[in-house]
């Protein structure tokens, strides 16, 4: 072994030690990013670096104007920076970063999922004097001429508001807010006419038709006593609540469609008229009439009523689970929910909803429901974006249904609502950017449908501001339902496959049967009332709401609605009753039982009182009396009864409709009879006859004797005497 080899081996531990030290240093210091080498984003220093997950600083943008600027505008961004860390940061600056326009809607969706750092676009300015204390909230304002930003022509630009500062690790990105800046050149500008300014094709001369289908729907809240099951609806109708905001969005549109559930309309009217009870079970103090509900209902009637500018569509009443009803063969109940829906909208808004558009639960339907919708007069159906295999028609008999499919990307953004971005304002900007990109890229014929899902939850005028954005710019045009239907029909070129809801996500068949029984009983009771009466409506509506698809995942709530309907029907039945003494005495074989018929309902009731005997061998009565009783009136009637023997016997009084449907549970009356029976009467008569004959016989004999004495006739022969010689021996002398 040579000396050089020995020396090399001797230096080996030193080399290993040096390697360990270098590795430790590299691990302690973050590596820079090398995008060209495929290295992923790291926490590199300098403006524009991608912040680490769980940013130490939050950037909340509450104002970004103009939302879709022109080159002559000045972009202004304001908001607040919040230090979430327990560390003080120095040399804190804030700046704008802007990337190149995205290449299509697919790239835009990819940016939302992973937003890389963008190049610096403005001079960084100090924030809060350059120091950010732990927990500090510092407002900021950034402004920049748009001409210096939109240098690559029309398109949707990725925009970032980035905060940097010095930490214990060095200069770092502390936090960022990601959004988009759409640039659609105004008609007539050079940028609008120049098709070579960017790779996007020349702009269409026609605006993008945007069709809003706004859901005015809610979880069923009707109770059978005419009140509501809870107080949550009141919050939704106040300023900033979801339903108030959705209606505000409708008011901001020159044209559009509202999808209204009449079960919600009934609940709002209950609140608007007041007072009303809240809760299922023992009633507490009634709530007074709600001014918010009254204003909301009046505003809706102005927008979508007989003279309103908005179009109307409606689901089945309370968004009934039509699939479950149809799969169970209950076409009668499915038809009833549709009929009740249309009647409810007509009653409260003075206008019928469009029969052309079917609105299935959850935006999904199978072939059976498609056939049912077509038979009911629908030519189109609003379906979820993933409910058909592609654009086309849903085959159904007797005619095909054309699907109205909301834009999937926009529906996700709308459903996510104000929380889809770091701030509600940036959530609006994301929707506007998607609309701009849809306008700037080739698009299919027909309007772009914006249809948030049922029970949409916007808030604080978020939806209102968003709808106004779609009406503000000339490159968008809000349209109504006729344009939607015509567009979907024109686009239906090939067959699509409808998709139903997942197996098991249907109303339980037993509940359907129980609800059906309640409806049958309610209809039977209504037969005793005038046509067109409404006092049974709360019972019917509450029973139907138990079939809502909203309650499929909450069977206890569905059963509570059905139970409420049963209790409501019982209360109505007990308002019409027959009152009689529990025990009545008859002093003869034939008698009459007095009965008072009471009607405590606000409408006239036609009733029939039937008296039946439980022991026909001793008491006989098959009498029935029919009366028409006015509201709040008491009528006295007498029912004939016949007792065949003395004693106490039960009879039954039943109050029914003229058709024989029971109105209330029958009641039992005891009849006490003191009249003698036929055998007893025969014995008594025979005894009296014998006694009478005996008395008459003695009287006749006495008269005959007196007559003989008075007339002097021969004396009566002496009484018979026996000869003593025959009966006694001679007496001795």
């Amino acid at each position: 072994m040579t000396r050089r080899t020995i020396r090399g081996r001797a230096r080996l531990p030193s080399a290993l030690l040096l390697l360990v030290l270098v590795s430790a240093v590299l691990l302690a210091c973050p590596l820079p990013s090398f995008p060209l080498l495929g290295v992923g984003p790291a926490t590199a220093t300098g403006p524009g670096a991608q912040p680490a997950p769980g940013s130490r600083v939050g950037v909340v943008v509450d104002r970004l104007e103009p939302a879709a600027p022109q080159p002559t505008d000045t972009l202004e961004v304001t908001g607040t920076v919040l230090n979430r860390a327990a560390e003080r940061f120095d040399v804190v600056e804030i700046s704008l970063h802007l990337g190149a326009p995205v290449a299509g809607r697919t790239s835009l969706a990819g940016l939302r999922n992973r937003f890389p750092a963008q190049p610096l676009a403005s001079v960084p300015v100090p924030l809060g004097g350059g120091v950010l204390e732990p927990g500090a909230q510092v407002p900021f304002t950034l402004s920049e001429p748009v001409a210096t930003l939109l240098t690559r022509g029309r398109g949707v630009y990725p925009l970032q508001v980035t905060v940097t500062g010095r930490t214990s690790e060095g200069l770092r990105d502390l936090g960022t807010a990601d959004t988009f800046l759409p640039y659609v050149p105004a008609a007539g500008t050079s940028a609008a006419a120049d098709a070579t300014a960017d790779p996007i094709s020349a702009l269409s001369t026609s605006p993008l038709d945007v069709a809003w289908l706004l859901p005015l729907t809610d979880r069923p809240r009707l109770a059978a006593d005419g009140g509501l099951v809870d107080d949550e609806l009141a919050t939704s109708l106040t300023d900033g609540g979801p339903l108030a905001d959705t209606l505000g969005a409708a008011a901001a549109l020159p044209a559009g469609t509202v999808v209204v559930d009449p079960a919600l309309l009934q609940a709002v009217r209950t609140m608007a008229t007041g007072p009303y009870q809240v809760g299922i079970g023992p009633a507490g103090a009634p709530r007074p009439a709600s001014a918010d509900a009254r204003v909301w209902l009046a505003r809706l009637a102005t927008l979508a009523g007989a003279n309103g500018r908005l179009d109307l569509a409606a689901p089945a009443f309370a968004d009934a689970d039509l699939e479950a009803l149809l799969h169970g063969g209950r076409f009668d109940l499915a038809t009833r929910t549709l009929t009740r829906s249309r009647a409810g909208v007509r009653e409260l808004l003075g206008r019928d909803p469009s029969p052309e558009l079917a609105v299935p639960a959850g935006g999904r339907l199978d072939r059976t429901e498609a056939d049912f919708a077509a038979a009911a007069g629908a030519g189109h159906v609003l379906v979820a974006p993933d409910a058909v295999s592609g654009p086309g028609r849903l085959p159904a008999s007797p005619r095909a249904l054309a699907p109205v499919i909301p834009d999937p990307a926009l529906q996700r953004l709308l459903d996510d609502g104000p929380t889809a971005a770091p701030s509600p304002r940036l959530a609006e900007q994301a929707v506007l950017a998607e609309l701009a990109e849809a306008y700037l890229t080739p698009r299919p014929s027909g309007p772009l449908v914006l249809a948030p899902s049922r029970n949409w939850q916007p808030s604080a005028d978020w939806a209102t501001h968003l709808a106004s954005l779609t009406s503000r710019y000339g490159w968008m045009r809000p349209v109504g339902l006729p344009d939607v239907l015509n567009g979907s029909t024109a686009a239906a070129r090939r067959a699509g496959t409808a998709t139903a809801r997942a197996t098991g996500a249907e109303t339980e068949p037993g509940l359907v049967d129980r609800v059906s029984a309640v409806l049958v009983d309610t209809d039977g009771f209504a037969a005793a009332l005038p046509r067109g009466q409404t006092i049974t409506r709360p019972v019917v509506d509450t029973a139907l709401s138990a079939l809502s698809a909203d309650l499929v995942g909450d069977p206890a709530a569905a059963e509570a609605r059905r139970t409420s309907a049963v209790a409501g029907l019982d209360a109505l039945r007990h308002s019409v009753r027959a009152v009689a003494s529990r025990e009545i005495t008859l002093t003869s074989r034939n008698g009459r039982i007095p009965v008072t018929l009471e009607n405590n309902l606000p409408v006239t009731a036609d009733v029939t009182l039937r008296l039946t005997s439980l022991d026909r061998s001793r008491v006989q009565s098959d009498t029935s009396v029919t009366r028409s009783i006015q509201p709040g009136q008491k009528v006295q009637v007498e029912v004939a009864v016949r007792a065949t023997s003395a004693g106490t016997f039960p009879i039954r009084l039943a109050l029914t409709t003229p058709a024989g449907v029971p109105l209330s549970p029958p009641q039992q009356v005891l009849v006490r009879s003191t009249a003698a029976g036929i055998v007893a009467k025969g014995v008594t008569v025979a005894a009296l006859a014998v006694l009478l004959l005996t008395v008459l016989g003695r009287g006749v004999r006495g008269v005959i004797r007196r007559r003989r004495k008075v007339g002097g006739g021969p004396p009566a022969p002496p009484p018979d005497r026996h000869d003593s010689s025959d009966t006694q021996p001679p007496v001795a002398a």
Side-chain angles (χ1 to χ4, degrees), residues 436-483:
E437 193 64 27
Y439 171 72
L440 293 169
T441 55
R443 58 184 186 272
S445 60
L448 195 69
V449 177
L450 277 66
S453 301
R454 179 181 174 88
N455 299 330
W456 192 28
Q457 296 292 315
S459 61
D461 295 332
W462 184 79
T464 301
H465 189 216
L466 188 57
S468 67
L469 287 177
T470 62
S471 306
R472 181 185 304 176
Y473 301 103
W475 48 272
M476 282 188 290
R477 180 179 62 186
V479 298
L481 188 60
D483 295 281

Side-chain angles (χ1 to χ4, degrees), residues 72-332:
T72 56
D73 296 326
T74 297
L75 181 68
E76 184 172 308
V77 183
T78 64
T80 305
V81 172
L82 169 64
N83 184 4
R84 301 192 186 103
E87 179 182 359
R88 168 179 166 166
F89 303 117
D90 300 321
V91 195
V92 180
E93 296 179 329
I94 188 167
S95 56
L96 293 177
H97 298 248
L98 195 74
V102 300
R105 298 186 68 186
T106 302
S107 298
L108 188 61
L111 274 177
R112 282 198 300 269
N113 295 328
R114 180 181 176 276
F115 212 111
Q118 303 298 324
L120 181 66
S122 70
V123 177
V125 297
L127 179 70
V131 176
L132 194 59
E133 299 288 348
Q137 298 186 40
V138 181
F140 71 88
T141 298
L142 295 173
S143 61
E144 188 75 14
V146 173
T148 65
L149 299 175
L150 307 178
T151 59
R152 304 194 186 190
R154 57 182 175 266
V156 175
Y157 291 74
L159 177 67
Q160 289 178 317
V161 180
T162 302
V163 177
T164 62
R166 177 176 295 153
T167 72
S168 58
E169 304 165 348
L171 190 63
R172 296 288 184 269
D173 282 348
L174 303 179
T176 186
D178 305 327
T179 187
F180 301 95
L181 191 66
Y183 171 41
V184 179
T189 64
S190 58
D194 184 8
T196 63
D198 54 60
I200 303 176
S201 61
L203 295 178
S204 171
T205 57
S206 61
L208 173 68
D209 287 340
V210 177
W212 282 95
L213 273 68
L214 291 166
L216 295 177
T217 55
D218 188 54
R219 184 180 177 90
R221 304 194 187 278
L222 295 171
D225 60 359
L228 304 180
V229 299
D230 55 48
D231 266 334
E232 294 180 11
L233 185 56
T235 303
S236 187
L237 296 174
T238 57
D239 289 341
L243 285 174
D245 194 10
T246 304
L247 187 58
L253 295 171
T257 305
V258 288
V259 181
V260 183
D261 185 349
L264 170 64
L265 297 184
Q266 291 289 345
V268 175
R269 183 171 71 169
T270 297
M271 296 176 59
T273 54
Y276 62 96
Q277 297 289 345
V278 173
I280 298 179
R287 304 292 195 274
S290 168
D292 291 329
R294 185 165 54 249
V295 170
W296 190 92
L297 198 58
R299 193 180 187 190
L300 176 60
T302 300
L303 293 171
N307 299 317
R309 67 176 181 270
L310 300 182
D311 298 308
L312 266 177
F317 188 84
D319 200 26
D321 188 0
L322 294 183
E323 278 192 15
L325 299 179
L326 296 172
H327 293 168
R330 298 309 305 266
F331 290 85
D332 56 331

Side-chain angles (χ1 to χ4, degrees), residues 272-604:
T273 54
Y276 62 96
Q277 297 289 345
V278 173
I280 298 179
R287 304 292 195 274
S290 168
D292 291 329
R294 185 165 54 249
V295 170
W296 190 92
L297 198 58
R299 193 180 187 190
L300 176 60
T302 300
L303 293 171
N307 299 317
R309 67 176 181 270
L310 300 182
D311 298 308
L312 266 177
F317 188 84
D319 200 26
D321 188 0
L322 294 183
E323 278 192 15
L325 299 179
L326 296 172
H327 293 168
R330 298 309 305 266
F331 290 85
D332 56 331
L333 285 182
T335 302
R336 185 165 187 168
T337 61
L338 285 183
T339 303
R340 179 69 189 97
S341 176
R342 294 169 181 173
V345 173
R346 185 189 316 116
E347 176 188 353
L348 293 173
L349 298 180
R351 178 182 171 192
D352 285 326
S354 171
E356 272 290 313
L357 181 65
V359 185
R364 312 187 77 86
L365 78 168
D366 62 2
R367 181 61 54 82
T368 302
E369 188 173 352
D371 291 344
F372 176 79
H380 303 75
V381 57
L382 179 63
V383 295
D386 58 348
V388 291
S389 60
R393 305 178 72 86
L394 300 175
S397 60
R399 57 194 178 94
L401 293 178
V404 175
I405 307 174
D407 184 86
L410 285 166
Q411 187 179 47
R412 282 192 295 271
L413 291 174
L414 293 174
D415 288 345
D416 290 342
T419 62
S423 69
R425 178 64 190 88
L426 295 190
E428 295 173 9
Q429 197 70 9
V431 176
L432 184 64
E434 195 72 44
L435 289 168
E437 193 64 27
Y439 171 72
L440 293 169
T441 55
R443 58 184 186 272
S445 60
L448 195 69
V449 177
L450 277 66
S453 301
R454 179 181 174 88
N455 299 330
W456 192 28
Q457 296 292 315
S459 61
D461 295 332
W462 184 79
T464 301
H465 189 216
L466 188 57
S468 67
L469 287 177
T470 62
S471 306
R472 181 185 304 176
Y473 301 103
W475 48 272
M476 282 188 290
R477 180 179 62 186
V479 298
L481 188 60
D483 295 281
V484 175
L485 302 183
N486 293 336
S488 65
T489 301
R493 300 303 182 197
R494 63 185 181 84
T497 302
T499 304
R501 283 175 291 147
T503 303
E506 289 188 359
T507 301
E508 191 261 324
L511 176 64
V512 176
D513 294 338
R514 295 191 296 274
V515 169
S516 179
V518 176
L519 293 173
V520 169
D521 291 343
T522 306
D523 292 342
F525 175 78
L529 309 178
R531 293 178 61 87
Q533 58 79 28
T534 59
I535 64 170
T536 60
R537 179 177 297 167
V539 176
V540 173
D541 289 351
T542 304
L544 290 176
S545 70
L547 302 175
S548 173
D550 274 352
L551 302 180
V552 169
D554 192 354
E559 181 61 23
R561 294 335 187 252
R562 187 200 70 84
T563 303
S564 175
V566 172
L569 178 58
D570 289 342
L572 292 178
R573 283 172 164 174
H574 292 157
S575 298
V576 182
R577 59 176 188 159
V579 180
S581 300
R582 297 183 61 86
E583 186 172 327
I584 298 174
T585 301
L586 301 180
T587 58
S588 63
R589 183 172 61 179
N590 297 316
R592 292 182 175 275
I593 299 177
V595 180
T596 300
L597 303 180
E598 294 183 4
N599 177 18
N600 296 314
L601 297 175
V603 296
T604 302

